[in-house]
Amino acid sequence: MIRLENVTKSYSPDVVALRDASFDVPKGEFVFLVGPSGSGKSTMLRLLNRQERPEQGSVWVAGRNIIDMPSNRVPHLRRNIGNIFQDYKLLPNKTVFENVAFAQEVIGKPKHVIRKQVPAVLELVGLEDKHDRFPDQLSGGEQQRVSIARAFVNRPLIMLADEPTGNLDPGTGEGLMRLLDRINQTGTTVLMATHDQRIVNAMRKRVVQLERGVIVRDQARGVYD
Amino acid sequence: MWSRITYTLRETWASFKRNVTLTAAAIITSAVSLLIFGATMLMREGFDNLLVTWEDDVEMIVYVNAGTTDEQRSVIDDALASNEGVTVRSFRYCDAECSLGEAEQVLAGRPDVLAQLNLDNIPSQYKVIPTEATDVNTLRDLQADLRGRENVRSVDLAEDQLDLIGKLKNFFGLYTLLLSISLLVAAVLLIWNTIRTAMFARRREIEVMKAVGATDWFIRVPFMLEGLVQGMIGGLGACGALWFINERWTAGVRDFPLNSGFVSMVVTDGFLYQRMGILMGIGALVGAIGSGIAVSRFLDV
């Protein structure tokens, strides 16, 4: 589903974010990307989204090398990728329902599809009774669930999560991980960058560790360090 | 498709409401600049109407009494022909029908006077183009000679009338054009700024749109439409104001004396509506340029 081949990405000659990184993620796998700040985790996620392009190597997503993909195809690539952010990136002037529906609306999904699929995904994340609330009326955990619902509503093949539990207390973070695990069970590949040692150790999923842009460990059913 | 259209319109309207003051400033600036531009066009047309009798290097007009027969007229013909190649380069005769057509332009502001003119009472005229070497004094001699001839009603020299009109036309034409162009540039910059502010206000929304796979055009169109609509509303305002000013001027000019020349300075035959169309087009163009630059420069999708 995801393949990086000898990828090198630098922002300046002195700042090399990834150095000759290679790894494979088969369909339906759950992978943690771990490592200290500045180790290249977020850069890797940005490369998979085609927000960045590497100087060397190739990046394959769903069977396509996305490095040479024409710009007008990039939106279609992104429709197969759900993004979860540490700061949720919810739109404050829209309700929970509208925030989730927004992801369908902007890619031209018809209204009747939105009316059917949004309540279903809100039920999945446990927010069906809060569909008319605004983000500032929700707790941090609930806001992140809305963010997950928005990322998953178009049934992407891949979910990329960048520190999704970074702003949450441990209990809420665990609940969120159960939700991501359920989504992973549906066949969605999940790649999650995190610093959360407790969660990584508890989940015992594959762990890819980065240090100064280099993959130093790739361990099945791994722990944080 | 329908959901995309409603989304675009909704977002454009929401952006309008979010940026009321800047939007109003952009619209007012484009309206004022277009109004000045439109007024310049009308003024130039008015001056052209005033000068219509002196088109094509005509420097002297010999008015012939109405009802003069071709035979009686031959005396004037002969006098002009005898000067051909010396003082006169060429001359042409504008009969009653031709003179009536000209009067319709010159007296457009005075339909009451125009209504009294007909083929039987309007003087016909000779339009005389002098040779390049002819000086004003020689022309004045010819004028004096022709004035004495039978059936000659009057002889006018361009020298006496054109100088001031030409200067006024060039002065107003140039400076109002420069002013309106400067204001149009200001309108483009204001619209550009409004769209940039709108994009800044919606930066999170844009980020989310990009992340979930909205196409470049889907993100751009509401902003471009916003700029276009601002320009067009400005154009519409300018058209309304121009129409009102023209109505007031056309009505007011009837009170001016016939020989003041102002009666010629009104526009007719759908000229105003054609120019209003042009103003709408320029308004849309100003909006499209302003928003187009902003979108291509600040919306890196």
Side-chain angles (χ1 to χ4, degrees):
Chain A
M1 182 55 64
I2 296 171
R3 193 162 89 237
L4 267 72
E5 290 176 351
N6 311 108
V7 170
T8 297
K9 169 71 187 172
S10 56
Y11 292 104
S12 73
D14 301 331
V15 186
V16 181
L18 281 177
R19 201 187 303 267
D20 201 27
S22 299
F23 79 105
D24 244 305
V25 181
K27 184 178 185 304
E29 195 166 20
F30 195 122
V31 181
F32 285 115
L33 283 176
V34 300
S37 294
S39 59
K41 303 185 298 292
S42 296
T43 299
M44 196 172 272
L45 298 184
R46 291 172 68 82
L47 284 169
L48 293 169
N49 246 331
R50 243 294 288 270
Q51 287 172 278
E52 306 274 3
R53 287 204 226 196
E55 278 85 53
Q56 284 172 32
S58 51
V59 180
W60 296 76
V61 175
R64 286 199 63 175
N65 184 355
I66 63 168
I67 304 303
D68 303 321
M69 182 180 269
S71 300
N72 62 353
R73 299 300 306 165
V74 172
H76 299 276
L77 162 78
R78 291 179 183 159
R79 288 174 197 183
N80 287 315
I81 300 172
N83 285 282
I84 306 164
F85 310 96
Q86 183 175 358
D87 60 351
Y88 327 130
K89 295 200 191 303
L90 298 179
L91 305 176
N93 56 337
K94 291 187 191 288
T95 63
V96 166
F97 184 96
E98 288 165 347
N99 262 286
V100 178
F102 187 69
Q104 298 204 299
E105 207 173 19
V106 300
I107 61 168
K109 286 267 174 81
K111 277 220 160 58
H112 68 272
V113 173
I114 295 173
R115 276 197 292 265
K116 197 174 147 194
Q117 291 184 346
V118 173
V121 81
L122 284 178
E123 196 180 333
L124 176 78
V125 301
L127 289 174
E128 65 273 27
D129 55 342
K130 295 190 173 171
H131 64 93
D132 56 352
R133 303 270 181 93
F134 286 92
D136 61 0
Q137 297 171 315
L138 302 173
S139 69
E142 286 169 334
Q143 289 189 47
Q144 192 58 292
R145 281 170 184 271
V146 179
S147 168
I148 292 174
R150 184 180 62 193
F152 190 61
V153 71
N154 289 320
R155 299 292 188 273
L157 299 171
I158 301 164
M159 292 277 265
L160 303 177
D162 196 357
E163 310 272 5
T165 58
N167 288 351
L168 305 175
D169 63 74
T172 311
E174 278 166 26
L176 213 71
M177 290 315 296
R178 279 195 295 277
L179 177 59
L180 279 178
D181 199 29
R182 274 180 69 194
I183 286 173
N184 178 235
Q185 302 295 322
T186 64
T188 305
T189 307
V190 179
L191 195 58
M192 173 173 156
T194 185
H195 284 298
D196 200 326
Q197 194 169 344
R198 234 161 41 87
I199 280 174
V200 176
N201 292 343
M203 297 279 287
R204 298 305 297 259
K205 301 283 187 186
R206 181 178 166 190
V207 174
V208 174
Q209 187 176 350
L210 284 157
E211 262 171 38
R212 293 183 185 172
V214 178
I215 296 177
V216 294
R217 178 166 62 108
D218 187 346
Q219 184 183 16
R221 298 184 56 77
V223 289
Y224 193 84
D225 49 23
Chain B
M1 187 63 175
W2 178 245
S3 65
R4 284 182 188 221
I5 293 170
T6 51
Y7 170 83
T8 304
L9 294 177
R10 202 177 59 223
E11 289 305 312
T12 305
W13 175 239
S15 197
F16 257 86
K17 285 197 294 186
R18 236 190 313 246
N19 264 323
V20 173
T21 47
L22 254 181
T23 302
I27 290 174
I28 291 168
T29 310
S30 50
V32 170
S33 57
L34 289 169
L35 176 62
I36 293 175
F37 187 67
T40 307
M41 288 194 286
L42 295 196
M43 206 158 21
R44 288 186 75 88
E45 177 69 6
F47 279 121
D48 284 344
N49 284 345
L50 200 60
L51 297 171
V52 73
T53 48
W54 302 100
E55 272 175 354
D56 303 328
D57 298 330
V58 170
E59 288 289 328
M60 186 165 78
I61 298 175
V62 183
Y63 292 99
V64 181
N65 287 333
T68 305
T69 63
D70 289 350
E71 201 174 306
Q72 291 167 328
R73 208 163 43 77
S74 64
V75 182
I76 306 166
D77 256 337
D78 293 343
L80 288 170
S82 65
N83 277 290
E84 221 165 2
V86 189
T87 314
V88 175
R89 188 171 78 204
S90 65
F91 66 92
R92 65 188 154 81
Y93 179 62
C94 177
D95 62 12
E97 203 174 334
C98 158
S99 298
L100 198 58
E102 203 175 77
E104 280 170 7
Q105 249 183 301
V106 177
L107 296 170
R110 292 296 300 266
D112 52 329
V113 176
L114 200 56
Q116 291 171 25
L117 293 173
N118 55 48
L119 291 174
D120 297 325
N121 66 8
I122 192 162
S124 59
Q125 46 188 312
Y126 283 93
K127 308 258 188 189
V128 181
I129 301 168
T131 55
E132 278 175 32
T134 308
D135 60 27
V136 178
N137 289 334
T138 319
L139 270 182
R140 289 207 186 282
D141 289 343
L142 183 62
Q143 179 189 30
D145 174 38
L146 290 167
R147 262 184 187 152
R149 308 257 172 184
E150 206 174 340
N151 295 314
V152 171
R153 184 188 169 96
S154 62
V155 182
D156 288 352
L157 278 186
E159 178 74 11
D160 303 333
Q161 300 193 14
L162 285 188
D163 203 34
L164 179 66
I165 298 168
K167 275 181 185 163
L168 281 174
K169 179 186 169 182
N170 289 335
F171 181 84
F172 283 114
L174 179 67
Y175 290 108
T176 51
L177 191 70
L178 285 178
L179 183 64
S180 58
I181 288 172
S182 314
L183 282 167
L184 276 175
V185 173
V188 168
L189 292 175
L190 259 173
I191 288 172
W192 173 74
N193 232 328
T194 312
I195 302 301
R196 193 172 70 153
T197 308
M199 284 192 300
F200 185 75
R202 292 180 61 199
R203 63 194 181 283
R204 170 155 287 192
E205 224 167 308
I206 292 170
E207 198 179 345
V208 173
M209 281 197 266
K210 283 196 255 180
V212 300
T215 60
D216 296 2
W217 281 108
F218 188 86
I219 300 172
R220 284 175 173 164
V221 162
F223 294 112
M224 297 194 69
L225 191 65
E226 190 182 337
L228 192 75
V229 170
Q230 283 176 14
M232 288 183 78
I233 294 176
L236 209 61
C239 287
L242 195 66
W243 177 84
F244 179 76
I245 290 169
N246 187 58
E247 283 291 302
R248 299 307 309 147
W249 170 256
T250 307
V253 99
R254 294 197 179 108
D255 299 331
F256 282 63
L258 254 184
N259 60 357
S260 67
F262 283 110
V263 288
S264 304
M265 295 195 68
V266 293
V267 294
T268 52
D269 296 336
F271 181 86
L272 175 69
Y273 298 109
Q274 280 175 14
R275 294 312 181 267
M276 280 161 74
I278 292 173
L279 289 190
M280 287 299 292
I282 296 174
L285 196 68
V286 163
I289 291 172
S291 56
I293 295 172
V295 163
S296 59
R297 208 156 154 213
F298 300 107
L299 204 64
D300 179 22
V301 286

